[in-house]
Amino acid sequence: ACQRAVEEADARQARLTKPPGAMGQLEDLGAQLAGIARTCPPPVPSRPAVAVFAGDHGVHAQGVTPWPQEVTAQMVANFAAGGAVVNALARQVGASVTVVDVGVAADLPDAPNLWHRKVARGTRDLAEGPAMTREQAQQALETGIAVAGELVDGGADLLVTGDMGIANTTASAALIAALTRSEPAEVTGRGTGIDDATLQRKTAVVERALNRLDRSEPLTVLAEVGGFEHAALAGFLLGSAARRVPVVLDGVIAVSAALVASALCPDAADYWVAGHVSVEPGARAALDHLGMEPLLDLHLRLGEGSGAVLAVPLVQSAARLLSEVATFDSAGVSGA
Amino acid sequence: ACQRAVEEADARQARLTKPPGAMGQLEDLGAQLAGIARTCPPPVPSRPAVAVFAGDHGVHAQGVTPWPQEVTAQMVANFAAGGAVVNALARQVGASVTVVDVGVAADLPDAPNLWHRKVARGTRDLAEGPAMTREQAQQALETGIAVAGELVDGGADLLVTGDMGIANTTASAALIAALTRSEPAEVTGRGTGIDDATLQRKTAVVERALNRLDRSEPLTVLAEVGGFEHAALAGFLLGSAARRVPVVLDGVIAVSAALVASALCPDAADYWVAGHVSVEPGARAALDHLGMEPLLDLHLRLGEGSGAVLAVPLVQSAARLLSEVATFDSAGVSGA
């Protein structure tokens, strides 16, 4: 990002007809968008695009969730038909929704907004051994980079992360524990709303995986305990940065992928906006580690990109303030 | 509001393709909107309208702010020209902006979106005696009721509170201290960003006003320490409820007016949505007293309706989920 444009935005905020700092977090966000666009005022994003990366998880076999694994494929069909929460929210803000199969454990029928990029039919069980080979993790990562590029080539000027994968909060908890060096019990949560016994099992699975883990290399951590959608999201975040397009992060799946992407390329984080903080405890731990302040805190725990899509108008508003609000001079308003 | 529609919404949320409760605060909001509309799913509001009530304050003479009083009139001109923050944010969400002069201490030139409803040229100094007569407070209140009705007659299906008035956080602090029975020091804040000496003066002014106050009657409290825009906003909130239209509350000025309106008619609060919580300490105290959870917490302290306008897409999204998201049955998705 461009420091000169950030400073220009800060200076401009001070001349707009409002008390200095009165727009709080949106002023920081406006400056960030100026830095990303390398110009002040930054353009107001008008073509947001959500990418929902879908994959299945071998760790499902450990009983970490009451939802059957086939729900991943069923929800992909729901996304493709426009019937899921993320579709409704995307229509509200005029965002497109693209579903990317990077690892669903089923053959998926063609659909207009479904991209077939399957790396494998689900990961292996991270409780027993590496979830992915290094090559598989790399392939999913590169898929995410490519998807970001294709969406930008298609005209998207604001990317939004989404995910689907039954049992994927278990992989996120493992990634977050490993990369923030937190205790598994502190960052493993109830996901879709599991009971105490299931939470205990889930936490034990994360502990077991962490015990065998070599944390020296982010790509190894990703392959060992991540999922195909986590790997693809990490790539998506890197690809957005490479294309200099801001990207809004959703909940715990996105921020766990952001830890991986940030470990691979710290500067990429300049392009990321935390859309919300999920109630999943690992989400706050990851955001704190990344030094990011979320825009929304609505006690959401759905995923799909739902919290990130809800934050899109805030991102647009932050940019719009810099371009449209009159200055004290231009409006003839007295200062303090 | 209609309890049957609220229950219908809760039952419907449980059948939508998402884990129960996963949309957090938006599920409660959706149920509230169903209750307001007396049907489930509730219609998605598509014509939001902001009313910015403007007035001046005799207490300005006490040195409670560094901003000159003429900024109120200058900002009214800025609103009318479309150059203020609230105008930019309203354009982002497709909301209209109407400015209502209920008490600006200057003659204001005509402008298309400026409604002349002046009760008097500013209030009297609340530090010295009653800010308004009871008749003036009543007139401003009735003006607010009428404005809500006129906007709804014009097609608005979601109202949004806005305000402008140099020194109006002093009146809000006094209203909040009086109506929540809080200590003035706990609910008096830095408003536009005043220094320590000014904050001390401002707090002392609120204490002085509170000491003489007869709190037995909400209309008396309003007349004694409120402002014309506070009175009009209280009426606006009652008028929205009377017309059964939801209204999004902005920051500390709106929530202090909501305390008055709620004291006059507790049931009206069923129609109110807290758009955000301002950094002004009285805002949180008032929301707690009203039992309301804000949608946004972006460290805003501008007023004008800015925080409420930012929350409009969240309100629309909450309604949209109930009408557009597929159920487990309709989408063929398995349950947990």
Side-chain angles (χ1 to χ4, degrees):
Chain A
C2 167
Q3 191 53 32
R4 189 192 42 73
V6 170
E7 284 161 18
E8 222 175 291
D10 286 340
R12 186 170 175 83
Q13 307 270 21
R15 290 188 293 125
L16 301 181
T17 44
K18 59 168 189 53
M23 287 308 288
Q25 235 175 306
L26 291 199
E27 297 196 18
D28 299 330
L29 179 53
Q32 182 189 359
L33 295 170
I36 292 171
R38 296 166 185 252
T39 185
C40 180
V44 179
S46 63
R47 298 189 62 185
V50 191
V52 182
F53 294 94
D56 274 307
H57 297 267
V59 73
H60 185 274
Q62 300 290 332
V64 292
T65 169
W67 297 82
Q69 188 172 65
E70 54 263 34
V71 168
T72 303
Q74 291 166 347
M75 284 300 297
V76 167
N78 198 14
F79 298 138
V85 166
V86 71
N87 302 105
L89 298 178
R91 282 190 290 270
Q92 182 63 47
V93 304
S96 67
V97 176
T98 301
V99 192
V100 186
D101 171 15
V102 280
V104 179
D107 293 323
L108 299 175
D110 288 341
N113 291 322
L114 172 58
W115 295 4
H116 297 287
R117 307 283 169 96
K118 202 192 294 285
V119 178
R121 295 171 69 94
T123 56
R124 298 177 70 101
D125 184 352
L126 67 89
E128 306 289 349
M132 298 176 264
T133 66
R134 224 182 133 84
E135 292 66 35
Q136 286 178 325
Q138 183 101 28
Q139 185 186 335
L141 194 91
E142 283 169 8
T143 300
I145 295 174
V147 168
E150 289 167 71
L151 290 173
V152 172
D153 288 341
D157 55 7
L158 179 64
L159 298 179
V160 180
T161 77
D163 71 275
M164 182 67 220
I166 296 300
N168 67 7
T169 61
T170 303
S172 286
L175 287 171
I176 293 168
L179 295 167
T180 68
R181 305 200 169 260
S182 308
E183 288 303 316
E186 283 167 17
V187 297
T188 307
R190 291 178 189 272
T192 51
I194 58 178
D195 61 19
D196 289 349
T198 311
L199 178 59
Q200 254 177 12
R201 255 195 319 273
K202 183 174 173 181
T203 307
V205 161
V206 175
E207 276 164 359
R208 187 133 63 102
L210 268 279
N211 284 341
R212 72 152 197 275
L213 196 61
D214 164 15
R215 310 184 191 200
S216 57
E217 245 245 304
L219 208 61
T220 308
V221 172
L222 176 64
E224 283 276 340
V225 300
F228 290 117
E229 71 271 41
H230 301 79
L233 282 165
F236 188 69
L237 296 177
L238 296 177
S240 306
R243 295 300 298 268
R244 297 185 180 168
V245 169
V247 55
V248 188
L249 275 63
D250 192 39
V252 73
I253 313 301
V255 296
S256 68
L259 290 173
V260 175
S262 159
L264 291 168
C265 175
D267 285 353
D270 291 354
Y271 294 81
W272 308 341
V273 175
H276 83 121
V277 57
S278 154
V279 293
E280 194 73 1
R284 177 59 77 177
L287 289 171
D288 286 349
H289 191 86
L290 292 162
M292 297 176 77
E293 195 58 48
L295 291 168
L296 295 170
D297 183 3
L298 294 166
H299 315 299
L300 309 180
R301 48 182 171 79
L302 178 62
E304 300 184 1
S306 54
V309 174
L310 286 167
V312 163
L314 300 177
V315 178
Q316 294 169 317
S317 295
R320 191 178 277 265
L321 291 179
L322 279 165
S323 44
E324 295 189 5
V325 176
T327 62
F328 283 101
D329 279 354
S330 74
V333 174
S334 309
Chain B
C2 165
Q3 191 53 31
R4 190 191 43 73
V6 170
E7 283 161 18
E8 221 174 293
D10 286 339
R12 186 171 174 81
Q13 306 270 20
R15 289 187 295 124
L16 301 180
T17 44
K18 59 171 188 51
M23 287 309 288
Q25 236 175 306
L26 292 198
E27 298 196 17
D28 299 331
L29 179 53
Q32 183 189 357
L33 295 170
I36 292 172
R38 294 164 188 253
T39 184
C40 179
V44 180
S46 63
R47 298 189 61 184
V50 190
V52 182
F53 294 94
D56 274 308
H57 297 268
V59 73
H60 185 274
Q62 300 289 334
V64 292
T65 170
W67 297 83
Q69 188 171 66
E70 54 264 33
V71 169
T72 303
Q74 292 167 346
M75 283 302 295
V76 167
N78 199 15
F79 298 137
V85 166
V86 71
N87 302 104
L89 298 178
R91 282 189 290 271
Q92 182 61 49
V93 303
S96 67
V97 176
T98 302
V99 192
V100 186
D101 171 15
V102 280
V104 179
D107 293 321
L108 299 175
D110 287 340
N113 292 321
L114 172 58
W115 295 4
H116 298 286
R117 307 283 169 95
K118 202 191 295 284
V119 178
R121 295 170 69 94
T123 56
R124 300 177 71 100
D125 184 352
L126 67 88
E128 306 289 349
M132 299 177 265
T133 65
R134 223 182 133 85
E135 291 66 35
Q136 286 178 326
Q138 183 101 29
Q139 185 185 336
L141 194 92
E142 283 167 8
T143 299
I145 295 173
V147 168
E150 289 167 71
L151 290 173
V152 172
D153 287 340
D157 55 7
L158 179 64
L159 298 179
V160 180
T161 76
D163 71 275
M164 181 69 220
I166 295 300
N168 67 5
T169 60
T170 303
S172 285
L175 287 172
I176 293 168
L179 295 168
T180 68
R181 306 198 169 260
S182 307
E183 288 303 317
E186 284 166 17
V187 297
T188 307
R190 292 177 188 273
T192 52
I194 58 177
D195 62 18
D196 289 349
T198 311
L199 177 60
Q200 255 177 10
R201 255 197 317 276
K202 183 174 173 181
T203 307
V205 160
V206 174
E207 276 164 358
R208 186 135 61 104
L210 271 276
N211 284 341
R212 71 150 198 277
L213 196 61
D214 164 16
R215 310 183 190 198
S216 56
E217 246 245 304
L219 208 62
T220 308
V221 173
L222 175 64
E224 282 276 339
V225 300
F228 290 118
E229 70 272 43
H230 300 79
L233 281 165
F236 188 68
L237 295 177
L238 296 178
S240 305
R243 297 299 299 268
R244 297 185 181 169
V245 169
V247 55
V248 187
L249 275 64
D250 192 39
V252 72
I253 314 302
V255 295
S256 68
L259 290 173
V260 175
S262 158
L264 290 169
C265 174
D267 285 353
D270 291 354
Y271 294 81
W272 309 341
V273 175
H276 82 121
V277 57
S278 154
V279 294
E280 194 73 2
R284 177 59 77 178
L287 289 173
D288 286 350
H289 191 86
L290 292 162
M292 297 177 78
E293 195 57 47
L295 291 169
L296 295 171
D297 183 4
L298 294 166
H299 315 299
L300 309 179
R301 50 181 171 79
L302 178 62
E304 300 183 1
S306 53
V309 174
L310 287 167
V312 163
L314 300 178
V315 178
Q316 295 170 314
S317 294
R320 193 178 275 266
L321 291 180
L322 279 166
S323 45
E324 295 189 5
V325 176
T327 62
F328 283 101
D329 279 354
S330 74
V333 174
S334 310

